[in-house]
Structure formats: structure tokens, C-alpha cells
Amino acid sequence: MLQCTAVTLLPPDTVLRLTAPGTDSPEDPEPYVLCELGEHDSTPTGPHTEHAAYLRPGRTPDSPALWFFWTGSGPEPTHRAEPAPWCPAVLRRLDSGLVRRCALFDHHPASHSWDVTDPLGDLIAERLVSGDSPEG
């Protein structure tokens, strides 16, 4: 399943909270976020699913992470930023011993993170892994 392509600007209060002293965010956040869910229904006229973007981790690996949720588009989408526990789903590959946890929040809609494909991210990662560099 392809990744949702919804993008929105972060509201100023959320950016301030992310950059406040005492937060675990070492760098300035991007002013926008991209939905990390698989493609989903987000039409404003019917039942819809909130878009969701991961903002920062919790204090420990198992503690809730800060997520940004929004619906709608245009100048004033409905939004909220709040901690959400991690999805408990785990993918185990018996042939290789690989164990992957879902990288989304608990009770997320649609597919788990390992089933969501980001073609642009995959293309960028492929070029970086192959040894290509911008310097030539």
C-alpha cells in the first residue's frame, strides 16, 4: 500500500512546544508534516480518517510518542498534537529471524508500517546505499 500524500503546516503553538527548553528534540522541526499512514479515506463529506505524523519519541522506547493528527486541508485544518502509545503489532519472519515492530500509533487505521511503501523515500535510500554521493 502506498503512503498517504497529505501534507500540512504545523501550527505555531506546536512548533513552540517542540522547540521549548527541556524537550528531547535536538534540532529545529520542519514547518510541515507528511501523513505517515497508508492511503486512507480522508474526504471531508463522509466518514474520514485523521492524518497522522510522528513528531518525537517518548522518554523511553516503550513510552508514548508525540504525534500530530489533522483532518481537512486549506488554511485551517482541525488538528491536535498529543502522545499516543505505540502499535503493539510485531512482524516475525521465521526464515530469517527478523522481528519488526509497527512504527505507528496504537489503533491506527489501514495497514501496519511494514506494509506502507514510500516510493520517494525508497528511491532516496537506494541512492544513498549504493554509494552515490552528491559530489560525484
Side-chain angles (χ1 to χ4, degrees):
M1 167 179 285
L2 292 177
Q3 184 173 345
C4 177
T5 58
V7 176
T8 193
L9 289 171
L10 283 173
D13 62 324
T14 302
V15 174
L16 285 174
R17 191 164 51 162
L18 288 172
T19 58
T23 61
D24 295 332
S25 184
E27 55 193 51
D28 291 336
E30 294 292 335
Y32 58 87
V33 290
L34 173 66
C35 182
E36 298 186 34
L37 302 174
E39 291 178 309
H40 55 94
D41 181 21
S42 59
T43 59
T45 58
H48 62 274
T49 300
E50 287 182 306
H51 298 290
Y54 170 80
L55 294 178
R56 78 166 182 243
R59 298 220 179 261
T60 66
D62 290 327
S63 64
L66 184 62
W67 287 81
F68 184 76
F69 300 95
W70 77 97
T71 57
S73 59
E76 297 197 29
T78 303
H79 65 272
R80 61 190 169 91
E82 63 186 47
W86 293 102
C87 176
V90 175
L91 174 67
R92 298 179 192 277
R93 294 201 105 115
L94 299 177
D95 58 340
S96 65
L98 174 73
V99 177
R100 290 178 67 184
R101 292 181 63 177
C102 180
L104 300 172
F105 55 94
D106 197 13
H107 300 295
H108 60 84
S111 299
H112 293 292
S113 61
W114 53 75
D115 290 325
V116 177
T117 302
D118 176 7
L120 180 57
D122 292 346
L123 180 63
I124 291 168
E126 180 182 300
R127 291 191 54 87
L128 291 175
V129 170
S130 70
D132 291 343
S133 77
E135 289 82 31

